[in-house]
Amino acid sequence: MGHKGRIVVPLELRRRHGWDEGSTLVFVDDGTTVNVMSADDALAAFRASVASTPSPVDELIAERRAEAEAEKR
């Protein structure tokens, strides 16, 4: 690491991952290791991690519909 906090990524890694000069990289620290990925890959990983999570909006709509049905009775 340079004195300004800059990190040099070896050419082999840049080629393997398709990172070019100016690519935005994300560092993810899980407490024991640090993973480096492109911003696009980080966003895709985040989306995949929350894809199976129920939508709070869908849950609220379902609750309101159930309440409306209960009021009709």
Side-chain angles (χ1 to χ4, degrees), residues 2-37:
H3 70 281
K4 291 185 179 182
R6 294 182 180 149
I7 296 175
V8 176
V9 179
L11 179 62
E12 179 183 329
L13 285 175
R14 294 192 318 260
R15 284 183 177 163
R16 184 182 318 151
H17 294 282
W19 300 335
D20 297 318
E21 183 177 335
S23 293
T24 300
L25 301 179
V26 176
F27 291 72
V28 180
D29 182 354
D30 69 9
T32 57
T33 59
V34 176
N35 295 303
V36 182
M37 61 188 80

Side-chain angles (χ1 to χ4, degrees), residues 10 49 53:
S49 73
T53 305

